[in-house]
Amino acid sequence: MATATATRCLRAQWLRRGLVQAPRARWQTNFAGLEKEMIERKIQPIFDDLSPQSSCRLDTSLADYLPETTPPPVLPTTKPAAVLPIPHHLVYFEPTKPSSQMLADGTNPDQSPGAPYDRRMWAGGRVQYSHSNPLTLDAGRGVCAEFIRNMTVKGNEGEEKLYVSIERRLAKATNDELEGLSHAQVDALSKETLEHRVRQRLWRDDEGDFGPCSVLETRNIVFMRNRSKEAAAAESARTAGKKIEPKHVADWKHSIVPDAKLLFRFSALTFNAHAIHLDPEYCREVEGHRNLLFHGPLSYVFMVTLLQQQLKKQGNEVVKQVEYRNIAPLYCHEPVTFCGTKTGPNKYEIWTQNAEGGMAVKGSVITEQASSLSP
């Protein structure tokens, strides 16, 4: 009963927000002006202590769902420090805001174009790793500088979707940025001061230029208009009726049936309060989905982790770059299959299939030889 009441309240917030702001909604403005405003946003950098704890908890959460995997027996030490595993950067450097600053659906407002584009989905992304300059889990402080690189609009007026490209640059923090201050003193620095120092050091005009960064990640988030429950259900039914056949025969595959425990743990580790992963009634009543949605980045974690298991068997290749796109929803309590194949020298295709065997996520990977790297 409490869940139903909370969901109705959340839906009411959405409807009130849409009704109040629609007359002056941003779709009446020039999209070029909106893109300019978003690109110029000053997003506060995210500092994180690179302890092995979050990485260990992710390993423990995934262990029951991966082949030939056992959970870590104890928390790893920081001496000697391990390199931050691929793709464990996802459980570090997430913004920590008071609930009052989050949007009604539990998401981060920093990346949002605003009403009426209040619905969001993770459309995919690209991640590049610098193996010659990795982050290490030595309990030192790291920093993530987040920028909005661009925004594109697709679709007809009234049904348009806004694709926002969010660039995240992960690096070790420096004394120049922190001035050798204590954590309390650093926390007392103004948002503007920290943002300026970090942006000045990490920003590059070329999105492929690492500079001093260890990980370059682009997150492609699609924002959509508010809609009625009936329209949401109709769109969900249309999507469910489409099946995209995989283009490759899998060299390896692994299936799981995700449950609510796995989704909750990943949401907790990534500090992600998005209701589509936590509240099944919200999924049905607001978004028109039949159950909790499996996280887009969680598919990425499984695909890349399974690929790395294959790479260890074959030789000394390591993941250099991954590009992936989410093309169909995946649901809690329904079979999910992760697949992959080698397509050429240092090239792999990875993908995720839904319960019907259709592609839900597709990705391309470039690897490099570990022996050629010198950390």
Side-chain angles (χ1 to χ4, degrees), residues 79-128:
K79 295 180 180 179
V83 171
L84 176 66
I86 296 174
H88 288 208
H89 71 279
L90 287 166
V91 297
Y92 294 88
F93 303 109
E94 290 306 316
T96 305
K97 295 179 179 292
S99 295
S100 59
Q101 294 182 16
M102 305 299 286
L103 298 179
D105 62 352
T107 59
N108 182 3
D110 290 344
Q111 306 135 357
S112 172
Y117 306 103
D118 290 324
R119 297 171 45 243
R120 62 177 279 159
M121 295 291 290
W122 192 300
R126 180 179 66 181
V127 189
Q128 303 171 77

Side-chain angles (χ1 to χ4, degrees), residues 120-136:
R120 62 177 279 159
M121 295 291 290
W122 192 300
R126 180 179 66 181
V127 189
Q128 303 171 77
Y129 300 95
S130 173
H131 292 282
S132 61
N133 179 33
L135 293 175
T136 54

Side-chain angles (χ1 to χ4, degrees), residues 17-292:
R17 186 176 184 184
L19 289 172
V20 171
Q21 297 192 27
R24 60 178 186 276
R26 289 188 176 179
W27 58 265
Q28 295 176 331
T29 67
N30 187 293
F31 280 121
L34 175 58
E35 180 183 22
K36 182 176 184 295
E37 181 271 315
M38 295 187 73
I39 290 174
E40 292 177 352
R41 284 184 189 176
K42 305 300 184 184
I43 300 175
Q44 187 169 3
I46 306 161
F47 290 90
D48 207 340
D49 291 326
L50 292 170
S51 158
Q53 187 167 61
S54 292
S55 177
C56 181
R57 285 176 171 171
L58 179 59
D59 278 334
T60 301
S61 299
L62 298 179
D64 288 343
Y65 303 89
L66 290 169
E68 304 173 10
T69 303
T70 56
V74 294
L75 178 68
T77 63
T78 57
K79 295 180 180 179
V83 171
L84 176 66
I86 296 174
H88 288 208
H89 71 279
L90 287 166
V91 297
Y92 294 88
F93 303 109
E94 290 306 316
T96 305
K97 295 179 179 292
S99 295
S100 59
Q101 294 182 16
M102 305 299 286
L103 298 179
D105 62 352
T107 59
N108 182 3
D110 290 344
Q111 306 135 357
S112 172
Y117 306 103
D118 290 324
R119 297 171 45 243
R120 62 177 279 159
M121 295 291 290
W122 192 300
R126 180 179 66 181
V127 189
Q128 303 171 77
Y129 300 95
S130 173
H131 292 282
S132 61
N133 179 33
L135 293 175
T136 54
L137 298 177
D138 57 4
R141 180 159 278 204
V143 64
C144 170
E146 185 170 289
F147 313 92
I148 296 177
R149 177 67 76 164
N150 59 61
M151 184 199 80
T152 57
V153 182
K154 298 181 181 180
N156 298 323
E157 183 176 350
E159 299 179 347
E160 68 273 15
K161 297 179 179 181
L162 278 55
Y163 289 81
V164 178
S165 178
I166 302 159
E167 186 173 300
R168 291 164 58 86
R169 293 178 163 261
L170 280 56
K172 299 169 186 174
T174 67
N175 286 337
D176 179 59
E177 290 159 355
L178 305 182
E179 294 184 338
L181 303 177
S182 69
H183 288 185
Q185 290 171 311
V186 169
D187 292 340
L189 289 174
S190 71
K191 170 184 174 181
E192 291 75 16
T193 300
L194 280 175
E195 194 282 334
H196 175 73
R197 292 178 181 176
V198 174
R199 184 183 182 101
Q200 190 175 45
R201 182 170 73 97
L202 300 185
W203 172 255
R204 295 293 184 274
D205 291 334
D206 180 357
E207 57 189 303
D209 182 353
F210 272 84
C213 297
S214 300
V215 180
L216 297 185
E217 180 181 19
T218 299
R219 298 179 175 182
N220 297 322
I221 310 297
V222 57
F223 291 87
M224 298 159 285
R225 287 175 173 270
N226 297 325
R227 60 184 179 177
S228 67
K229 175 184 174 181
E230 293 72 23
E235 182 178 335
S236 181
R238 288 195 301 271
T239 302
K242 298 178 181 179
K243 181 179 177 181
I244 303 174
E245 296 289 345
K247 295 182 178 180
H248 300 278
V249 176
D251 290 337
W252 68 88
K253 61 174 60 178
H254 176 69
S255 297
I256 69 168
V257 179
D259 55 24
K261 290 183 293 184
L262 174 63
L263 270 59
F264 168 80
R265 282 188 162 194
F266 191 72
S267 288
L269 283 167
T270 54
F271 215 65
N272 179 1
H274 198 179
I276 61 173
H277 307 303
L278 300 170
D279 187 341
E281 188 168 358
Y282 173 87
C283 290
R284 292 189 294 268
E285 295 297 316
V286 176
E287 292 289 351
H289 290 291
R290 57 180 177 265
N291 207 338
L292 297 174

